[in-house]
Amino acid sequence: MQASQNRQASSGIHEMYHQSVQEIDPYCLSHFHVLENNVCPDTGSQGNSINFSSCKKQFFTLESFPATADLSACNSPSAVSVLSSRSPFSPQVSQSCSSDQHNSFDNTCGSPQSGCSVTDDDNELKHRLKELEISLLGPESDIEDSCYCSFRGGAHRDASVARWNWNKMVEMIPRLNLQDTLITCAQAIHEADINVATLFMDVLGQMVSVSGDPAQRLGAYLLEGLRARLERSGSAIYKALKCDEPTSSELMSYMSILFQICPYFKFAYTSANVVIWEAMANEPIIHIIDFQIAQGSQWIPFIQDLSNRPGGPPVLLRITGVDDSQSAHARGGGLQIVGRRLSQLAESNGICFEFHAAAMSGCEVERSNLRIRPGEALAVNFPYALHHMPDESVSTQNHRDRLLRLVKSLSPKVVTIVEQESNTNTSPFLSRFIETLDYYTAMFESIDAARPRDDKQRIRAEQHCVARDIVNMVACEGFERVERHELLGKWRMRLRMAGFSPYPMSSSVTRSVQNLLREFNENYKVQEADGALYLGWKNRAMATSSAWR
């Protein structure tokens, strides 16, 4: 199945989910204070994806790309790599940054230090682009397309480009705003203006660095995505990254770093586990279906707490783990590793346990794969998993809604869903780029706050657990684009159409997440709104946790 094949190429924030078992933390603790301001209502605005033909030149390797790297062309196919030594991580405005209020806890656009400086008026952005073009090339800078040869063959620019006053351009670069320049470059690609896009890619090459500040690091990955899109090779580059994939032990190490310094997945574990725990308080037979089982680490504290449950542990605990080859690579083996580990843990805690492996993409799952039995209390867990399911905008099969209807037909007692609070699914390219820029700016700031700027482990973790998702969102379309986030408002619509109703979250869920956040930077916030929990970085909502039945 094509959707399954593309799903297997996906990495990103969900890869943080594959952390080692030893690193899981307890999920139910004490008190922290909640945001006082309100979470903005989200919207489900949509747009049409676009494609256009273009040409482009050299690619660089992000791992060693400095802010002042040489821009000479590369002929080697191996150089066509978003990060030659590998890369994947994760979490995005709808039609425009200001029109989509979902991103901010207080109706602002992005986090205070990094909110995207964009204009909603197309003409104003075009005007700014032209001003920058004139300032860089001069008013007589009518460069012919022939100056920008196809770089697939490694060709260099025509000699006429020598009229560029490159030294003067380099002098101007420090005065340019990086975010504005990125958006201007994306606007040029959106309008198929190859000359301007190529020019600004060269300018951006002097402004970004994987070892710089958060904006420079993110800019390096976004620039590579723009290069791949202009080359119309985003899919090939995205898939080629797996050729240089780190060993499973290396990838686990990178993910472990992010798991420890960022609360995004601990937020998912904590909120879902407390909801499921409360829903299953008196159930004798419990069956949990996890649509992103990964290492199985989420269920370690859950099993341990079941052994101390008032009234005794359940008669039987069953866990069905849905998984794919990407998780298998991170683990260094198949789902039998997870089953064996959880079985040993359950046995040591005096709990009768069964594990069922469903080694497949979520969009391949059918009822028969889940082995539902009568008389059991069913909980279904979607931790950053549903956004990888192709929907009606990608396929007439619409696996996203099909899977929700399938789960509803199982009559679960509770369904837990954690997703990035972002809108990149059906947004057209430019809106999606601005959303990605805004979301990941907050993400990179949050990572930066936890480790020194020159921390090589953090740099490697970003490269191996972030960058491929960024390239996928910027460079790919259709089935090739597997990173397709939606806002909670859109998830609500889908869930209600599938027959679900909200499952109330108790105050203990919020308290548990508040306590978790005490381990992290004070700029992480949690707030309850409309029956869901929002995790935020400064003013930007980053993830939501909700429960359904």
Side-chain angles (χ1 to χ4, degrees), residues 122-141:
D122 245 12
N123 291 329
E124 183 178 342
L125 189 55
K126 292 175 184 176
H127 179 67
R128 181 189 301 169
L129 184 154
K130 191 62 181 177
E131 283 184 341
L132 279 171
E133 181 185 2
I134 292 173
S135 66
L136 292 174
L137 297 182
E140 304 300 326
S141 58

Side-chain angles (χ1 to χ4, degrees), residues 65 67 208-217 448 453-454 458-459 462:
F65 189 75
V208 302
S209 170
V210 295
S211 58
D213 63 30
Q216 290 173 320
R217 301 198 307 270
D448 195 67
R453 184 66 51 80
D454 60 351
R458 179 195 51 71
I459 294 172
E462 286 176 349

Side-chain angles (χ1 to χ4, degrees), residues 293-534:
I293 190 70
Q295 306 302 311
S297 301
Q298 177 171 355
W299 309 114
I300 293 175
F302 188 87
I303 291 173
Q304 291 169 336
D305 284 351
L306 274 181
S307 66
N308 300 314
R309 189 176 73 168
V315 174
L316 174 65
L317 170 65
R318 302 180 64 218
I319 293 181
T320 294
V322 179
D323 216 4
D324 59 21
S325 60
Q326 181 64 43
S327 295
H329 172 78
R331 273 193 308 271
L335 279 170
Q336 69 276 5
I337 296 175
V338 179
R340 188 163 53 245
R341 184 180 292 159
L342 293 180
S343 295
Q344 292 170 351
L345 177 68
E347 182 180 358
S348 67
N349 282 273
I351 297 175
C352 184
F353 178 79
E354 292 180 8
F355 182 82
H356 169 55
M360 61 186 67
S361 164
C363 61
E364 295 177 294
V365 170
E366 301 289 349
R367 185 187 181 100
S368 59
N369 303 124
L370 302 175
R371 299 187 183 179
I372 304 300
R373 297 175 186 169
E376 61 186 12
L378 180 65
V380 180
N381 186 47
F382 287 105
Y384 299 113
L386 279 173
H387 73 272
H388 288 124
M389 303 299 111
D391 72 344
E392 69 279 1
S393 69
V394 182
S395 166
T396 55
Q397 293 177 297
N398 190 0
H399 291 291
R400 188 168 297 196
D401 290 341
R402 181 195 68 82
L403 188 58
L404 290 175
R405 291 193 298 270
L406 171 62
V407 169
K408 180 60 180 176
S409 73
L410 305 177
S411 300
K413 192 161 187 182
V414 68
V415 176
T416 52
I417 296 176
V418 180
E419 281 293 343
Q420 293 95 314
E421 182 62 357
S422 178
N423 185 21
T424 61
N425 182 23
T426 57
S427 300
F429 166 68
L430 186 59
S431 297
R432 186 169 76 244
F433 182 86
I434 294 172
E435 168 75 326
T436 303
L437 171 62
D438 184 72
Y439 189 98
Y440 277 99
T441 297
M443 172 70 69
F444 273 65
E445 284 181 3
S446 71
I447 297 173
D448 195 67
R451 287 289 180 101
R453 184 66 51 80
D454 60 351
D455 189 305
K456 288 183 170 52
Q457 284 188 319
R458 179 195 51 71
I459 294 172
R460 297 284 286 177
E462 286 176 349
Q463 290 180 329
H464 290 281
C465 301
V466 186
R468 189 164 65 186
D469 284 2
I470 295 173
V471 172
N472 183 256
M473 281 182 284
V474 172
C476 299
E477 297 292 352
F479 277 105
E480 305 292 353
R481 180 157 62 87
V482 296
E483 298 300 322
R484 292 179 168 273
H485 306 99
E486 292 188 319
L487 306 176
L488 179 58
K490 186 60 179 290
W491 290 119
R492 282 196 179 107
M493 291 171 57
R494 290 189 186 277
L495 285 154
R496 285 172 174 151
M497 286 190 296
F500 287 96
S501 59
Y503 185 98
M505 285 186 170
S506 71
S507 58
S508 62
V509 183
T510 304
R511 287 197 302 270
S512 298
V513 174
Q514 289 170 340
N515 180 76
L516 164 69
L517 294 184
R518 297 172 72 177
E519 305 172 20
F520 297 94
N521 188 281
E522 63 184 6
N523 284 308
Y524 288 107
K525 310 292 183 181
V526 63
Q527 181 172 327
E528 190 276 333
D530 299 326
L533 283 187
Y534 288 72

Side-chain angles (χ1 to χ4, degrees), residues 8 19 27 86 103 137-138 172 230 244 276 297 322 341 378 418 450-451 533:
Q8 292 173 6
Q19 79 293 338
Y27 62 83
R86 277 291 309 95
N103 292 314
L137 297 182
M172 274 196 62
L230 196 60
D244 298 310
I276 295 172
S297 301
V322 179
R341 184 180 292 159
L378 180 65
V418 180
R451 287 289 180 101
L533 283 187

Side-chain angles (χ1 to χ4, degrees), residues 53-60 71 73-74 145 147-157 164 185 189 194-203 223-233 237:
S53 60
S54 55
C55 58
K56 185 48 198 145
K57 70 164 184 182
Q58 124 272 353
F59 292 81
F60 54 78
L71 294 175
C74 243
D145 283 347
C147 298
Y148 296 87
C149 308
S150 170
F151 296 102
R152 293 186 178 91
H156 293 269
R157 285 182 183 159
W164 284 19
C185 184
I189 292 178
I194 311 308
N195 294 349
V196 172
T198 306
L199 162 66
F200 279 97
M201 285 180 182
D202 284 347
V203 172
L223 174 57
E224 192 68 3
L226 291 172
R227 290 183 187 277
R229 187 177 184 93
L230 196 60
E231 177 69 9
R232 301 190 69 189
S233 59
I237 293 173

Side-chain angles (χ1 to χ4, degrees), residues 176-183 204 207-208 213 215-216 219:
L176 297 176
N177 177 279
L178 177 54
Q179 289 185 330
D180 284 348
T181 308
L182 282 164
I183 294 170
L204 286 165
M207 301 174 70
V208 302
D213 63 30
Q216 290 173 320

